[in-house]
Amino acid sequence: MSESRTIRVGALTRVEGEGALHVSLNNNVIDRVELNIYESPRFFEAFLRGRPLEDVPDLTARICGICPVAYQMSSACAIEAALEIEIPTEIHQLRKLLYCGEWIESHCLHMHLLQAPDFFGYSSGLELGKHFPDEIKRGLRLKKIGNQILEVLGGRSVHPVNVCIGGFYRTPALDELQSLIPELEWGLQAAIETTHWISGFNFPDFVCNYDLISISNSSEYPWFGDTMGSSKGESFDVKEYEQVICEYQVPHSTALQAHKIESQTSCLFGPLARINHSRDNFHPNARELADRVNIQWPCNNPFQSILARGLEVVHAFEEALEICRNYQRPSESRIPYQPRAAVGMAATEAPRGTLFHRYEIDDAGLIQHATIIPPTSQNQKQIENDLRDYLPPLLSMEDDQVAQACERLIRSYDPCISCATHFLKLSIERVE
């Protein structure tokens, strides 16, 4: 007689959004692993249809309270590509500085309050703070600096409102950016200390054979770019994104999953992909630290993503300092343009991975069609595949222990479920 066993995590904790995990075993052999995203779809792509293109950066920013800048940047860049708007270097640098603020605040939140407690067996960041008060206070101050950058450049720390098609509504005065420098200098040293602290964690020995995908630039660590790189040796233009990677619906999730069209295989996006492709483009402190943190590169251990985030925070502080120290206020805050019928697409690197946008615009400048492919939906199939590989050695444990181990692995990807549930393919069958 066959023996069935079911392991359920009814509500994933310390992740952004609402999800669950369902594992079915038959005779102690894994039958199904389903990451259940049950958060309601939010239909953002449908909301955008018929709206003026100028509304898109502010509307898409509302998809996520943690990474709104990523949505603003991908949407603005895609529409600017459609209208062939050339962004001047000084505006591009300000956008990169805004992105630095988002990486700092998002990564520091995840490192200190969401994932770090797992390495000590604590149930929350508050419990971790009782045992490591100085480290948590340092992490919160680092996050605050990221939010301050968003306030100065974006007008407010959550859902910034200053990004527009062609640039910014207003560029900061010189003294506004210079006022950030003392905290950025403290933050750089604090980020280095934090990364050293994290490098001493006891990481589970779990190495995967990933197809790591990110923007791959030859000259700088990727926030923006036109070329996607894969650890399998392939590369493709961002314009070909939807010919290489597609989203699809699965019955157990309100969020779409994604895979490579040709091979139908999963991929991993995010800090591990970026750092494996582009750590040679780190600023000096981050590059030196990457060589000293006792990690064998390339790294394919998802639990060590927290260390990759620490190194990216160091790099972001160095980038922010360089931009602030060299800043000269642009003569114009944005480039004028004329709406016309066009199609444009762009990808930028959100904290959790590549975020792709594509827009079709009509002659009046109204959005006719929008496609948004967020990093969490692109990582979902890979997370399920990793759980299949991670579970077998754990199955002799009690169900609650297995469930806790699965949650720890899921948290290492820093999933943003609310981002992933922006849309749901709806099929209506009418019978007459």
Side-chain angles (χ1 to χ4, degrees):
M1 175 182 288
S2 64
E3 180 181 349
S4 63
R5 179 183 176 192
T6 302
I7 299 169
R8 288 191 177 88
V9 180
L12 297 168
T13 58
R14 282 189 276 131
V15 297
E16 205 290 319
E18 298 170 349
L21 178 66
H22 186 125
V23 179
S24 298
L25 303 107
N26 195 344
N27 286 329
N28 221 30
V29 176
I30 296 172
D31 182 28
R32 286 185 299 148
V33 176
E34 295 177 346
L35 185 59
N36 302 109
I37 307 301
Y38 52 78
E39 188 163 319
S40 301
R42 298 157 71 205
F43 305 111
F44 266 90
E45 283 129 322
F47 294 159
L48 293 169
R49 293 175 195 158
R51 303 288 300 223
L53 62 89
E54 290 81 5
D55 290 357
V56 176
D58 285 338
L59 284 172
T60 55
R62 269 61 176 183
I63 291 175
C64 184
I66 299 174
C67 52
V69 172
Y71 283 93
Q72 288 189 320
M73 291 302 160
S74 287
S75 61
C77 290
I79 293 172
E80 287 158 0
L83 301 180
E84 299 180 347
I85 301 170
E86 295 289 336
I87 298 300
T89 300
E90 53 267 32
I91 297 296
H92 178 73
Q93 289 295 94
L94 286 176
R95 286 182 167 183
K96 195 188 301 181
L97 178 59
L98 186 59
Y99 231 140
C100 286
E102 179 158 287
W103 275 22
I104 292 169
E105 61 88 11
S106 177
H107 279 353
C108 289
L109 169 68
H110 182 262
M111 289 156 52
H112 292 86
L113 299 184
L114 304 185
Q115 192 179 5
D118 287 335
F119 293 94
F120 299 93
Y122 299 137
S123 61
S124 69
L126 291 175
E127 189 178 357
L128 180 67
K130 294 177 183 175
H131 300 271
F132 294 92
D134 292 338
E135 286 80 1
I136 293 298
K137 288 177 183 174
R138 182 179 63 199
L140 293 175
R141 183 173 169 185
L142 285 168
K143 183 185 183 305
K144 183 179 179 181
I145 296 171
N147 287 111
Q148 287 172 334
I149 295 173
L150 264 64
E151 286 177 7
V152 169
L153 277 166
R156 57 192 191 191
S157 62
V158 179
H159 299 316
V161 292
N162 193 30
V163 174
C164 66
I165 304 301
F168 289 90
Y169 290 109
R170 171 189 176 275
T171 55
L174 178 61
D175 62 346
E176 290 180 281
L177 286 202
Q178 288 182 332
S179 70
L180 293 171
I181 291 176
E183 276 296 89
L184 291 173
E185 290 173 337
W186 176 89
L188 173 57
Q189 296 308 312
I192 292 171
E193 293 169 9
T194 297
T195 307
H196 274 300
W197 176 56
I198 291 171
S199 70
F201 289 1
N202 185 21
F203 297 103
D205 184 13
F206 179 59
V207 177
C208 306
N209 181 23
Y210 284 133
D211 185 354
L212 298 160
I213 295 183
S214 73
I215 292 172
S216 181
N217 293 327
S218 59
S219 60
E220 64 176 15
Y221 201 74
W223 273 280
F224 308 88
D226 298 324
T227 302
M228 304 300 302
S230 159
S231 58
K232 300 299 184 184
E234 307 156 354
S235 64
F236 58 92
D237 195 287
V238 168
K239 294 177 182 175
E240 302 169 339
Y241 205 96
E242 293 171 288
Q243 283 76 57
V244 178
I245 295 169
C246 74
E247 288 185 304
Y248 58 93
Q249 188 76 56
V250 293
H252 57 271
S253 174
T254 57
L256 303 179
Q257 296 196 2
H259 62 204
K260 276 188 166 177
I261 294 172
E262 184 174 347
S263 60
Q264 298 194 356
T265 52
S266 59
C267 315
L268 183 70
F269 299 76
L272 269 189
R274 291 191 293 260
I275 203 167
N276 279 329
H277 291 161
S278 304
R279 66 187 177 282
D280 287 345
N281 290 326
F282 268 153
H283 280 286
N285 282 289
R287 189 166 60 242
E288 180 184 352
L289 195 56
D291 293 333
R292 292 170 49 201
V293 290
N294 198 29
I295 294 291
Q296 185 69 39
W297 305 107
C299 174
N300 287 295
N301 183 337
F303 290 102
Q304 290 176 323
S305 295
I306 188 173
L307 194 51
R309 290 186 180 91
L311 291 166
E312 286 193 333
V313 170
V314 173
H315 175 75
F317 272 107
E318 291 186 272
E319 184 79 45
L321 270 169
E322 183 174 288
I323 294 170
C324 288
R325 285 169 175 160
N326 296 320
Y327 179 63
Q328 293 184 338
R329 193 171 192 177
S331 56
E332 301 289 340
S333 67
R334 50 181 158 160
I335 304 302
Y337 58 87
Q338 287 295 321
R340 59 180 173 81
V343 178
M345 62 283 289
T348 68
E349 287 291 334
R352 291 156 188 82
T354 307
L355 172 59
F356 174 83
H357 285 222
R358 178 181 180 275
Y359 296 98
E360 296 178 19
I361 307 164
D362 69 11
D363 280 327
L366 302 179
I367 300 299
Q368 296 301 299
H369 185 79
T371 299
I372 300 172
I373 305 179
T376 293
S377 72
Q378 297 184 92
N379 279 337
Q380 271 190 88
K381 183 174 181 177
Q382 187 63 61
I383 295 173
E384 290 183 350
N385 289 343
D386 288 355
L387 284 163
R388 282 182 176 276
D389 293 337
Y390 185 59
L391 274 166
L394 309 177
L395 294 180
S396 60
M397 301 163 63
E398 297 295 325
D399 284 5
D400 60 338
Q401 293 174 307
V402 177
Q404 289 172 12
C406 290
E407 275 200 277
R408 286 196 289 272
L409 177 59
I410 292 169
R411 275 193 287 271
S412 72
Y413 307 92
D414 191 17
C416 187
I417 292 170
S418 297
C419 281
T421 55
H422 59 87
F423 193 63
L424 179 70
K425 287 184 177 176
L426 178 63
S427 175
I428 301 176
E429 182 178 352
R430 301 181 188 276
V431 178
E432 295 182 357

